[in-house]
Amino acid sequence: MKYLEFHFTLNPASSDFTDVLESVLVEVGFESFVKKEDQDVLPSDLNEATGDTVIRTPLADLSPLSADASSLTAYVQRDIFDKTAFQAAIDAFPIPGISITYDMQEAEDRDWNAEWEQNYFQPLVVDERCVVSATFHKDVPSAEYNIKINPRMSFGTGHHETTRQMLRAILAEDIEGKDVLDMGCGTCILGILAAMRGARSLMAIDIDEWCVENSRENLALNGISCAEVLHGTAEMLPATPNFDLILANIHLNIIRADLPRYAACLRSGGLLFTSGFYESDLSAIREAAEAAGLSFVRSTSENNWCCAIFRNVVH
């Protein structure tokens, strides 16, 4: 599956503004973000941009452009990108006085190992118990659970707040002998940790063919043999209670739409760990989960990103 890569510049600069932009983009299907402060963007550069590369909020009294601008890189699946919805979301940006510019390119056929080795991906240590590292890392610290991945795409390395919180939730739960579903598995690090913690079986599903291939590769790297990786969506889930634990770190709207399917295939007393949405969206997720027969257990948050746990009380 192909992705579109957007580079946004917000002026004036503020990490709060980029956080709001992330939230806006999540609502229209964007699923991965890289922030950095870009000190090299000049007002003249922004003024010279033309065509679709310049978007400004339709609000009066914009603040003067500053050489200090915030930068955000965001990714969305090409096949689900809705330009009209995207444009409307940018036009309705909720903070007045912000100039937003962007450019877009296809993000495909990259050597992601080289990308992450050179730029971003360092070994991740979670609560001193779990280490996620790539195949190219050396001198990796030893931990109770050492997960190796080959990051063939830019997503799912564990460095995002949502994935870290999901890893912590798995570390805190007794997984021994449970049947686990990793929905929207990405690189499958959540499912791998569940298997390492004693899961009896693991089913991993992703709509992205690259993720399916990469998950199979990463499962083999970690010697996990109890797993099945499928290409598809929640529509392929059984309507019978087959799982004790469901892991769903996806997108707010997808989670909300698929909650009835999760509830239908979750055994009585089974748990749903879910993330991929902001803390401000928890009430909407909770309302939809309770309508599907799930009861709220607890939630955590990190940098406004939320992870929520629900229990099935229906079957």
Side-chain angles (χ1 to χ4, degrees):
M1 187 166 296
K2 308 301 183 184
Y3 282 83
L4 300 177
E5 179 181 280
F6 285 73
H7 299 279
F8 295 91
T9 300
L10 292 83
N11 197 303
S14 168
S15 61
D16 291 337
F17 298 162
T18 53
D19 286 343
V20 173
L21 180 58
E22 277 192 35
S23 182
V24 167
L25 294 174
V26 163
E27 290 291 333
V28 290
F30 284 74
E31 59 189 62
S32 186
F33 305 93
V34 177
K35 295 180 190 176
K36 74 172 184 176
E37 294 302 315
D38 186 351
Q39 303 296 332
D40 299 324
V41 179
L42 302 175
S44 59
D45 296 331
L46 299 179
N47 290 334
E48 288 171 3
T50 59
D52 287 341
T53 62
V54 173
I55 300 295
R56 299 192 191 279
T57 54
L59 298 165
D61 302 323
L62 291 177
S63 300
L65 292 177
S66 164
D68 182 13
S70 300
S71 175
L72 177 71
T73 300
Y75 298 87
V76 62
Q77 293 179 25
R78 186 179 66 184
D79 290 347
I80 69 169
F81 176 62
D82 184 333
K83 186 175 181 179
T84 300
F86 166 75
Q87 180 72 58
I90 294 295
D91 287 345
F93 192 71
I95 303 176
I98 308 300
S99 168
I100 303 175
T101 65
Y102 77 89
D103 59 49
M104 181 271 291
Q105 64 185 17
E106 294 255 350
E108 58 179 316
D109 299 329
R110 295 190 186 183
D111 183 350
W112 287 112
N113 274 0
E115 285 281 316
W116 285 98
E117 184 173 9
Q118 293 171 12
N119 298 301
Y120 306 110
F121 184 24
Q122 298 299 318
L124 171 70
V125 181
V126 179
D127 295 345
E128 306 300 324
R129 295 183 63 197
C130 176
V131 173
V132 181
S133 62
T135 50
F136 50 73
H137 284 136
K138 305 191 186 321
D139 300 322
V140 176
S142 181
E144 187 178 356
Y145 304 103
N146 281 76
I147 300 175
K148 285 280 187 187
I149 66 170
N150 184 17
R152 296 183 59 197
M153 67 283 294
S154 64
F155 321 115
T157 62
H159 286 69
H160 195 273
E161 292 91 341
T162 58
T163 315
R164 286 198 299 269
Q165 291 181 85
M166 291 286 283
L167 290 169
R168 290 191 182 103
I170 295 168
L171 288 170
E173 184 65 25
D174 180 10
I175 313 292
E176 188 70 34
K178 293 185 176 179
D179 297 311
V180 177
L181 168 67
D182 187 352
M183 195 69 217
C185 56
T187 56
C188 209
I189 65 172
L190 300 181
I192 289 170
L193 180 58
M196 287 181 170
R197 300 214 66 233
R200 178 171 59 185
S201 68
L202 170 65
M203 177 180 289
I205 300 176
D206 204 290
I207 195 172
D208 189 332
E209 293 179 357
W210 279 34
C211 291
V212 170
E213 182 180 347
N214 191 221
S215 291
R216 289 171 178 160
E217 183 177 15
N218 292 332
L219 286 161
L221 272 175
N222 291 276
I224 306 299
S225 59
C226 63
E228 178 183 19
V229 185
L230 303 176
H231 178 224
T233 67
E235 292 183 0
M236 66 195 308
L237 291 176
T240 53
N242 288 14
F243 302 105
D244 303 295
L245 174 63
I246 297 176
L247 311 170
N249 182 20
I250 319 179
H251 171 261
L252 169 68
N253 294 333
I254 295 175
I255 293 170
R256 194 158 48 188
D258 289 343
L259 275 167
R261 295 182 185 273
Y262 299 157
C265 65
L266 193 60
R267 291 182 178 129
S268 179
L271 294 172
L272 167 66
F273 293 179
T274 184
S275 193
F277 51 90
Y278 281 95
E279 191 173 14
S280 59
D281 296 314
L282 176 59
S283 59
I285 290 289
R286 182 170 177 173
E287 181 179 352
E290 291 173 347
L294 304 177
S295 64
F296 176 73
V297 177
R298 64 182 181 275
S299 67
T300 60
S301 65
E302 183 179 343
N303 293 331
N304 295 321
W305 289 98
C306 187
C307 173
I309 296 177
F310 298 90
R311 188 181 304 277
N312 192 6
V313 294
V314 173
H315 294 303

